[in-house]
Amino acid sequence: MATQYEIEHNVQFAEGRRAGRRVDMASFFALLNQLAEPSGTDSPQNNPHAVPTPVDSAALFRMLQDQLLTLHNTSPTADNRSFLEELISSLDADIQDPPKTIQGVTQEFVDSLDRVNRKTLHEDDDCAICKVPYLEDEYCLVVELPCQGRHQYDLECVGPWLRSKGTCPMCRQEMNKKKEIPVVEDDDEEDGDMMYA
């Protein structure tokens, strides 16, 4: 199964190739896709009111927590270790008392996140989650979240968090389910009224 990274860059890596400290989230996304709400008549669920079982929801958050723990165990700095500990502990409540619905954003939202141009990145810029400097990766895929801090992450690192929690990992600001499109006031209505006067 191709990763989001491989799809976005139209590349295919040999089996087992992982950039830096990034973890494989294929099992997480497989379970998330099973738990996703029905999206029409092609859905395998017949009951539109069906919700994930608490066991399945807890398993999803446990998978995310386990992957963050893997990163924590090889953390290069104390700050990164502390940040990952906060994320790991914040998932405990979702594991102990799973929500009835997964509060994360849609894949469409993740796909619409603003991409950060490689030319604007500096040598010491890195992902807060994996701590791999962006420019070490030949095909870095950095996204900027629409939070007040405009926090940037590797897409592969932040995607699972966004899909399951729906917040910025750093500031915890809730992400909109889809980007807001500004409404432009149309002055043609007033002009149109004059035509009939």
Side-chain angles (χ1 to χ4, degrees):
M1 177 178 184
T3 64
Q4 178 73 26
Y5 182 92
E6 292 170 313
I7 293 168
E8 187 87 18
H9 290 291
N10 196 24
V11 295
Q12 187 170 15
F13 297 118
E15 195 64 31
R17 187 262 188 203
R18 302 298 307 161
R21 296 178 60 234
R22 296 192 189 106
V23 293
D24 183 6
M25 297 297 288
S27 297
F28 170 87
F29 283 113
L31 180 56
L32 181 65
N33 289 337
Q34 288 177 356
L35 300 179
E37 290 184 28
S39 58
T41 57
D42 294 338
S43 172
Q45 291 189 17
N46 295 326
N47 183 353
H49 303 291
V51 295
T53 66
V55 172
D56 288 338
S57 295
L60 181 78
F61 291 110
R62 173 65 71 192
M63 283 181 182
L64 180 57
Q65 191 179 54
D66 288 346
Q67 297 302 345
L68 292 172
L69 189 57
T70 299
L71 291 174
H72 175 270
N73 292 339
T74 60
S75 180
T77 67
D79 287 342
N80 180 244
R81 221 173 357 269
S82 176
F83 175 63
L84 291 172
E85 286 169 2
E86 287 176 26
L87 297 181
I88 291 165
S89 67
S90 73
L91 292 168
D92 282 337
D94 294 318
I95 294 168
Q96 298 302 319
D97 185 21
K100 291 186 180 190
T101 59
I102 306 301
Q103 299 298 313
V105 299
T106 64
Q107 184 61 46
E108 291 78 18
F109 177 88
V110 173
D111 293 341
S112 72
L113 289 172
D114 292 334
R115 290 351 189 213
V116 177
N117 189 322
R118 182 181 179 90
K119 294 176 184 175
T120 65
L121 298 171
H122 300 96
E123 288 287 326
D124 58 344
D125 290 343
D126 60 16
C127 176
I129 297 172
C130 70
K131 293 309 278 182
V132 173
Y134 298 129
L135 295 178
E136 279 187 12
D137 189 346
E138 179 182 0
Y139 300 104
C140 65
L141 182 52
V142 182
V143 294
E144 182 174 275
L145 300 189
C147 59
Q148 289 183 355
R150 310 294 295 171
H151 295 117
Q152 297 177 352
Y153 304 91
D154 282 313
L155 179 60
E156 277 189 295
C157 292
V158 77
W161 182 270
L162 290 173
R163 293 292 315 277
S164 59
K165 296 293 284 180
T167 62
C168 171
M170 291 183 80
C171 65
R172 305 295 168 88
Q173 180 179 336
E174 286 191 32
M175 299 290 102
N176 298 328
K177 298 301 179 195
K178 55 185 167 183
K179 283 187 173 180
E180 291 182 26
I181 300 171
V183 178
V184 179
E185 294 293 324
D186 192 9
D187 291 338
D188 290 344
E189 291 178 17
E190 292 175 12
D191 294 89
D193 290 342
M194 291 180 167
M195 291 173 54
Y196 299 107

